[in-house]
Every structure is written in C-alpha cells, then in structure tokens.
Amino acid sequence: QVQLVESGGGVVQPGRSLRLSCVASGFIFSNYGMHWVRQAPGKGLEWLAVIWHDGSEINYADSVKGRFTISREDSKNTLYLQMSSLRAEDTAIYYCAKAMSPQGWDWFDPWGQGTLVTVSS
Amino acid sequence: EIVLTQSPGTLSSSPGERVTLSCRASQSVSSHLAWHQQKPGQAPRLLIYDVSKRATGIPARFSGSGSGTDFTLTISSLEPEDFAVYYCQQRISWPLTFGGGTKVEIK
C-alpha cells in the first residue's frame, strides 16, 4: 500500500539548517505531485510547499519562501525539504503528503506520519 | 489568501448523534474544498474532496455539501472512532489553506 515515511527531524538551533526527507513506496513516485505541510504544537495545519511530478512547478507559502526549498529525487523515491535560517516559530511536526495526480494542486492523499522539528537554543 | 473559518471550534456530542460541521471561505472556492480528519497523535487523513466525494475507505456516514463559500461536513451517526479534529481545506488558489479545525469530543 502507499506509504510515506518522513525523517530528518530533531532539535536545531535558531539560524541553522536542516533537511527533511520523505521516502515513498507503494506507488510510482515520479507520477505524482508532492507536498509539505506542518503543524505547530497544539495548532492547526499550515501548507508549506508543493512540487509537481516532474519538478516543472514549485510553490511556497510566504512564511517559508526564500528559506525553505522543496525538491525530489525520483531515482530514490524521495521528497526533500531543505530548511535554512530556522526560527523558533518553525517548531512543528512536518508532514509530507502525496497529491492525487501529477499536478501539485490536487488533494493530499495520503499523508505521512510526520517528523518533529524543534528549533531551540 | 483565502481564509477558511470553521465553526464551532468544539462540538460535544454522543455516539449515535448526527453532527454538522461548518466551513466558510472568505471568497468563493467553487467546488475546490476538502475535509481532513486528525485523531490525537496521528497524521491527518483525507475524508472528503471536491465538496462531496468520499476518499477511499471512508464510511458512508460521512458526507459533504455546499458550494461557493459555505460548506458542511455531516456525520450521520457518530461512532466512537469519529471523535477527532476536522479540518477543511481549499485548493482553488495559492497558498493552499486550511481552516482552524473543529474538535468533535465526547459529551
């Protein structure tokens, strides 16, 4: 079945960088758009970034634009989120999610289980 | 940015009851609205998309309706496993946005 497994979370100091990974299985990864969404502790969901199946289009939320970079490596069935200049307010669980089609604007289904990023000195 | 406002913030109900959750958009999202369910300690999962289409494996007691700016998620008869937080989400324009969520708790 479709499975998404995030990794790379942890405790990082403000201003530092971190790279998250999301390994996909159970579907043809290169055929689908992929998203990153986060959830701060006790808060709601915030969409962060999307990449089309072929990388031809990428979009970001304003809150992370210029600091975060989404990318994919289809040979490894892996989605990435490179995060730089991290701030305390970036502390959250980070989820990857598969789009329902090659285009990034499609619905999220399914979601990964998430990885926790804590930005603290 | 399209703002989605969900109401109520918390809904207390008993198993077997019918509940209705609301999602209002700050501008029309046409039929580009979905609902996600999140249980404590778990990732969200897609329940309803395109206003009223149930995602794979979602029971028929979940239904969605609405258009434009006003949308509803109805659970016809609450099961114990339905106590969770429900989020609406739009995809008509960037950035994609979610509502603040409605928590359905046991009365």
Side-chain angles (χ1 to χ4, degrees):
Chain A
Q1 80 276 18
V2 174
Q3 192 170 13
L4 301 170
V5 179
E6 300 94 335
S7 63
V11 180
V12 60
Q13 293 179 329
R16 303 297 293 263
S17 298
L18 199 64
R19 189 179 79 163
L20 305 183
S21 300
C22 167
V23 177
S25 60
F27 65 101
I28 302 174
F29 181 70
S30 60
N31 284 358
Y32 292 89
M34 296 292 296
H35 295 264
W36 286 101
V37 179
R38 70 183 178 186
Q39 185 171 37
K43 302 297 184 182
L45 301 168
E46 179 187 17
W47 173 80
L48 298 178
V50 62
I51 185 168
W52 258 238
H53 71 106
D54 57 0
S56 61
E57 284 195 47
I58 288 174
N59 275 297
Y60 296 99
D62 284 347
S63 59
V64 302
K65 196 175 296 182
R67 298 189 302 125
F68 291 10
T69 302
I70 188 173
S71 63
R72 61 191 300 154
E73 190 168 1
D74 291 347
S75 63
K76 294 185 177 181
N77 287 348
T78 301
L79 175 73
Y80 300 104
L81 186 67
Q82 179 69 46
M83 305 185 294
S84 62
S85 303
L86 284 163
R87 308 164 179 166
E89 54 264 37
D90 294 319
T91 294
I93 297 172
Y94 286 72
Y95 298 101
C96 64
K98 169 185 163 291
M100 291 174 71
S101 74
Q103 286 71 41
W105 53 263
D106 212 341
W107 303 113
F108 314 144
D109 188 31
W111 300 60
Q113 89 291 345
T115 187
L116 177 62
V117 173
T118 303
V119 184
S120 173
S121 54
Chain B
E1 172 175 322
I2 294 177
V3 176
L4 299 178
T5 302
Q6 291 188 240
S7 60
T10 302
L11 197 160
S12 298
S13 294
S14 302
E17 289 188 341
R18 178 187 180 92
V19 297
T20 299
L21 286 62
S22 175
C23 176
R24 175 163 289 179
S26 59
Q27 62 191 79
S28 176
V29 298
S30 185
S31 61
H32 296 281
L33 190 102
W35 294 89
H36 301 267
Q37 176 194 63
Q38 186 176 34
K39 298 178 183 179
Q42 295 187 18
R45 71 163 176 167
L46 180 67
L47 277 183
I48 300 283
Y49 63 98
D50 293 348
V51 175
S52 60
K53 298 176 182 177
R54 282 188 299 276
T56 303
I58 302 303
R61 63 180 181 272
F62 291 93
S63 64
S65 63
S67 66
T69 60
D70 290 292
F71 301 89
T72 298
L73 173 69
T74 299
I75 310 173
S76 60
S77 179
L78 273 173
E79 295 287 339
E81 60 267 29
D82 299 337
F83 293 94
V85 180
Y86 294 83
Y87 295 94
C88 58
Q89 180 227 329
Q90 65 81 21
R91 67 163 190 183
I92 198 170
S93 69
W94 306 104
L96 306 183
T97 51
F98 294 89
T102 290
K103 181 179 181 180
V104 177
E105 63 177 23
I106 300 175
K107 184 185 288 183

